[in-house]
């Protein structure tokens, strides 16, 4: 395994060791927050500790950072793999500069979203961070599988990251809204994220099987060319190179 392969593994390793355990923790704490709230509302004394709310929110902060970070690492691996492979800075240095700037701006927007207190700034930085992810995802080298979007690791991943950013930005509204509408929105979004993570576990494991190790790349490319000589090729049958 050479350096390129090790970099490729960075994203799955972070997801498996940090993101998924945090997701388990956050779902558990979220259910306990709900249990406590419903018990108190119906006049019972709850045995659930009042600190579960704080623990849930704290875990939410970590999870959002971990998901967005893991997504940025995967996108960087795809995009810079292409930039380095084609030595793009010789032919299109503007595009390379733009990509670097975009990564910086996206990371800065997420950092500022954590700091923002007023709704207008939360909305601004959430939109900027989301736009950054979407524009980065549109760059060459990212394996999007658009014609199979319903099983695409990319689309599920970007959707999960955007929903996490959204969850972070509505944090205060959940507490302030007396009608509990934002709480309901939050539960729907949280459940969608949980389902998307399940999808990511499946499509991510498939992605690991699809990306050839460096030493396998030339053989896979040859096989692909042979196969395309025999019958027309589709985007899906193209080798997925990191
Ligand atoms: C992504 C997975 C998540 C799931 C499945 C989830 C689930 C839940 C659930 C079930 C509740 C209880 C709702 C109720 O009282 O009926 C809750 C409350 C809450 N969640 Fe989440 N949540 C997630 C992520 C987040 C994130 C990322 C944040 C923000 C950092 C967050 C902030 C909150 C807040 C502020 C509350 C109210 C806590 C309280 O009343 O003390 N959640 N969540
Ligand atoms: C929260 C969960 C996850 C998110 C948000 C996420 C997001 C992403 C995104 C946006 C990409 C770039 C697009 C692409 O190349 O398809 C990607 C690539 C990839 N993911 Fe994930 N992923 C998650 C979980 C996983 C898991 C569980 C695995 C494997 C066990 C995995 C393995 C990979 C691999 C091998 C790639 C391609 C190589 C790379 O671009 O670095 N992912 N992921």
């Amino acid at each position: 395994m050479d350096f390129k392969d090790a970099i490729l593994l960075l994203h799955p390793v972070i997801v498996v060791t940090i993101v998924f355990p945090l997701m388990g923790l956050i779902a558990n704490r979220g259910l306990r927050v709900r249990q406590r709230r419903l018990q108190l509302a119906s006049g019972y004394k709850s045995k659930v500790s009042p600190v579960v709310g704080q623990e849930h929110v704290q875990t939410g902060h970590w999870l959002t950072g971990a998901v967005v970070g893991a997504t940025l690492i995967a996108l960087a691996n795809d995009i810079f793999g292409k930039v380095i492979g084609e030595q793009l800075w010789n032919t299109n240095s503007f595009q390379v500069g733009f990509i670097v700037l975009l990564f910086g701006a996206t990371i800065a927007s997420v950092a500022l979203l954590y700091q923002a207190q007023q709704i207008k700034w939360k909305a601004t930085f959430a939109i900027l961070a989301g736009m950054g992810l979407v524009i980065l995802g549109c760059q060459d080298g990212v394996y999007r599988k658009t014609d199979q979007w319903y099983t695409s690791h990319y689309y599920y991943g970007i959707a999960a990251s955007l929903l996490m950013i959204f969850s972070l930005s509505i944090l205060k509204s959940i507490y302030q809204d007396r009608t509990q509408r934002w709480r309901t929105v939050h539960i729907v979004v949280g459940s969608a994220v949980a389902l998307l993570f399940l999808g990511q576990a499946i499509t991510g494991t498939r992605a690991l099987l699809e990306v050839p190790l460096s030493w396998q790349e030339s053989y896979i490319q040859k096989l692909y060319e042979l196969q395309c000589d025999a019958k027309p090729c589709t985007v899906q049958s193209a080798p997925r190179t990191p």
Side-chain angles (χ1 to χ4, degrees):
M1 192 170 74
D2 69 10
F3 182 68
K4 204 171 144 189
D5 302 324
I7 294 288
L8 167 71
L9 285 186
L10 207 56
H11 162 79
V13 167
I14 289 176
V15 174
V16 170
T17 56
I18 301 177
V19 172
F20 285 165
L22 284 180
M23 184 61 206
L25 203 61
I26 208 171
N28 174 279
R29 295 294 186 269
L31 288 173
R32 284 162 68 80
V33 169
R34 183 173 175 79
Q35 192 187 0
R36 178 180 156 79
R37 186 175 64 78
L38 295 180
Q39 281 171 343
L40 293 178
S42 55
Y44 289 103
K45 217 171 153 240
S46 177
K47 284 196 181 134
V48 178
S49 157
V51 297
V52 284
Q54 279 169 33
E55 285 175 4
H56 176 77
V57 175
Q58 185 64 57
T59 317
H61 280 102
W62 292 337
L63 183 64
T64 308
V67 171
V68 175
T71 296
L72 283 173
I73 287 174
L75 291 175
N77 185 41
D78 284 353
I79 297 170
F80 288 112
K82 183 93 176 170
V83 168
I84 294 167
E86 296 184 0
Q87 301 202 337
L88 210 63
W89 56 88
N90 289 329
T91 51
N92 199 344
S93 51
F94 172 78
Q95 194 186 349
V96 179
F98 173 72
I99 290 169
V100 172
L101 211 69
L102 209 55
F103 269 105
T106 309
I107 294 167
S109 303
V110 177
L112 289 168
L113 174 60
Y114 275 94
Q115 305 298 326
Q117 295 298 330
Q118 293 172 5
I119 296 281
K120 63 175 182 190
W121 289 118
K122 279 181 186 281
T124 306
F125 293 126
I127 290 170
L128 285 176
M131 276 172 60
L133 283 182
V134 171
I135 301 172
L136 281 171
C138 293
Q139 301 305 309
D140 283 350
V142 179
Y143 195 74
R144 288 182 286 267
K145 274 199 167 183
T146 300
D147 42 357
Q148 285 186 6
W149 58 268
Y150 42 87
T151 56
S152 158
H153 189 69
Y154 164 77
Y155 285 103
Y156 285 7
I158 294 291
S161 308
L162 294 180
L163 289 179
M164 291 306 299
I165 290 174
F166 176 71
S167 289
L168 189 61
S169 67
I170 63 163
L171 197 155
K172 264 196 174 167
S173 315
I174 300 176
Y175 287 120
Q176 287 167 355
D177 180 12
R178 288 183 184 278
T179 65
Q180 307 288 6
R181 204 167 297 150
W182 280 110
R183 200 176 277 270
T184 312
V185 169
H186 174 67
I187 296 171
V188 172
V189 168
S191 309
V193 169
L195 284 177
L196 285 170
F197 276 22
L198 186 65
Q200 288 307 82
I202 299 166
T203 55
T205 314
R206 184 192 59 186
L208 272 178
L209 295 174
E210 283 175 347
V211 187
L213 291 170
S214 306
W215 68 267
Q216 297 168 338
E217 245 174 73
S218 58
Y219 300 102
I220 303 270
Q221 186 66 42
K222 283 225 168 62
L223 269 175
Y224 173 67
E225 282 160 14
L226 277 175
Q227 182 193 335
C228 294
D229 284 345
K231 65 176 170 93
C233 288
T234 60
V235 176
Q236 284 77 47
S237 60
R240 177 182 174 132
T241 45

